[in-house]
Amino acid sequence: MSILLLVIRILLVISLYLFIGWVVYTLWIEIYRRPTKQDESDVALLTLTYQEAGNPHTFRLNQKSAGIGRDTGNEVSLPDAAVADRHATLTYHQGQWWLENIHTNLSTLLNNERVNDSVVLINRDVIIVGPYHLEVMLEEK
């Protein structure tokens, strides 16, 4: 009888340790294997529109970072000599779109005010880069 009781106790201890191991493993997966705080699908859509000769030109951005400049590698490519190759950047973090002027000799304006630091964009803002007036439209997340 005492051997049977000993075997039952050992089985209960083993099952208790297995249960605790399963709980720790499940918590570890939940905490450490969770996707990053913000993936591309968490980025609010930013639409920039400008008019040229009566024709609207639209850029739709839904990645975390985008460049504005004359270079065709920019997500917002503006072909004009008054625009630097890499003029400004748009970044999405802290749940908001931010504008930053990169080129110090050529100014970037937001609502007719020079951009010196990173600034938050809101709906109906106007970004002025060279001769281009880009109207900002934000999709709510």
Side-chain angles (χ1 to χ4, degrees), residues 95-112:
Q96 300 177 23
W97 278 99
W98 297 72
L99 171 68
E100 181 179 8
N101 186 36
I102 294 176
H103 202 281
T104 54
N105 295 335
L106 300 172
S107 63
T108 301
L109 304 177
L110 181 63
N111 302 324
N112 291 320

Side-chain angles (χ1 to χ4, degrees), residues 7 20 26 40 45 56 74 85 89 106 111 113:
V7 170
I20 291 172
T26 304
E40 297 298 317
L45 179 67
N74 289 302
D85 286 342
T89 58
L106 300 172
N111 302 324
E113 293 185 25

Side-chain angles (χ1 to χ4, degrees), residues 35 92 104 117 140:
Y92 186 81
T104 54
D117 297 317
E140 293 297 319

Side-chain angles (χ1 to χ4, degrees), residues 27-46:
L27 288 173
W28 180 80
I29 287 177
E30 186 67 26
I31 292 170
Y32 293 107
R33 290 194 174 184
R34 195 175 273 175
T36 58
K37 272 193 209 173
Q38 184 180 65
D39 58 9
E40 297 298 317
S41 64
D42 289 340
V43 176
L45 179 67
L46 169 65

Side-chain angles (χ1 to χ4, degrees), residues 1 17 19 26 30 35 37 39 41 47 49-50 53 57-58 68 75 80-81 91-92 94 110 117 119 121 125 128:
M1 180 74 166
Y17 279 114
F19 176 74
T26 304
E30 186 67 26
K37 272 193 209 173
D39 58 9
S41 64
T47 304
T49 306
Y50 72 91
H57 295 270
T58 302
I68 300 175
E75 289 76 10
D80 190 276
T91 54
Y92 186 81
Q94 300 174 348
L110 181 63
D117 297 317
V119 293
L121 296 175
D125 273 345
I128 303 171

Side-chain angles (χ1 to χ4, degrees), residues 7-90:
V7 170
I8 291 173
R9 284 182 182 170
I10 291 173
L11 289 175
L12 283 174
V13 168
I14 290 172
S15 44
L16 178 64
Y17 279 114
L18 287 173
F19 176 74
I20 291 172
W22 174 77
V23 168
V24 169
Y25 177 74
T26 304
L27 288 173
W28 180 80
I29 287 177
E30 186 67 26
I31 292 170
Y32 293 107
R33 290 194 174 184
R34 195 175 273 175
T36 58
K37 272 193 209 173
Q38 184 180 65
D39 58 9
E40 297 298 317
S41 64
D42 289 340
V43 176
L45 179 67
L46 169 65
T47 304
L48 300 175
T49 306
Y50 72 91
Q51 300 283 330
E52 184 175 45
N55 297 325
H57 295 270
T58 302
F59 301 96
R60 291 183 186 354
L61 307 170
N62 64 351
Q63 64 267 28
K64 290 182 183 181
S65 178
I68 300 175
R70 188 176 61 231
D71 185 23
T72 56
N74 289 302
E75 289 76 10
V76 180
S77 181
L78 305 171
D80 190 276
V83 178
D85 286 342
R86 185 100 170 130
H87 201 100
T89 58
L90 297 162

